[in-house]
């Protein structure tokens, strides 16, 4: 997978699925424009335009959605599961990427790494 491709890379989802994922992203953040998305994500508006052109949501966006807004990346990309990772009634604590990774079981991390490297032939056993 190329550096800028993410869970929503063009090879993994159709253009329609990408548009639906972007709509869920906007819904989750309560925004309506690319400029608002850029502001919420702390990126340039041209980066949003580039992602739309490629038809893929960068992993860094999904990671920020988890760490900053506690939004489920699987819900954004595939519409699966709940929108938020924590109940919204309480004030959620912020997590760092390192803390999230540190709490993951090693087999899951290794499977994710194998998938990221495009090596489905690597067998990870619990």
């Amino acid at each position: 997978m190329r550096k800028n491709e993410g869970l929503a890379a063009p090879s993994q989802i159709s253009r329609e699925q990408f548009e639906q994922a972007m709509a869920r992203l906007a819904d989750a953040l309560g925004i309506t424009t690319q400029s608002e998305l850029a502001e919420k994500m702390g990126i340039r508006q041209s980066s949003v335009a580039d992602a739309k052109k490629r038809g893929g949501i960068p992993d860094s966006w999904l990671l920020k959605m988890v760490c900053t807004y506690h939004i489920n990346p699987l819900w954004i990309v595939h519409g699966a599961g709940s929108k938020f990772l924590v109940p919204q009634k309480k004030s959620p604590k912020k997590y760092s990427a390192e803390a999230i990774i540190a709490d993951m079981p090693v087999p899951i991390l290794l499977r994710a790494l194998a998938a990221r490297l495009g090596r489905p032939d690597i067998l990870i056993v619990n």
Side-chain angles (χ1 to χ4, degrees), residues 25-58:
L25 182 70
D27 172 60
L29 292 174
I31 59 169
T32 57
T33 67
Q34 289 185 16
S35 299
E36 290 174 312
L37 175 58
E39 185 179 327
K40 286 269 189 180
M41 298 302 292
I43 57 175
R44 294 183 316 261
Q45 197 276 333
S46 62
S47 297
V48 177
D50 289 343
K52 288 189 88 156
K53 184 190 284 185
R54 281 192 317 272
I57 297 174

Side-chain angles (χ1 to χ4, degrees), residues 1 5-14 17 55 59 77-78 115-116:
M1 213 181 289
E5 290 181 349
L7 291 175
S11 61
Q12 296 176 352
I13 63 173
S14 70
Q17 289 170 317
D59 287 343
V77 177
H78 303 289
R116 192 82 176 131

Side-chain angles (χ1 to χ4, degrees), residues 8 13 18 20-21 23 25 27-28 30 34 45 51 56 59 63 65 69 85 93 96 119 121:
I13 63 173
F18 169 75
Q20 291 170 350
L25 182 70
D27 172 60
Q34 289 185 16
Q45 197 276 333
D59 287 343
L63 187 58
M65 298 299 290
Y69 302 107
L85 295 172
K93 66 178 187 175
S96 68
R119 295 289 310 269
D121 57 313

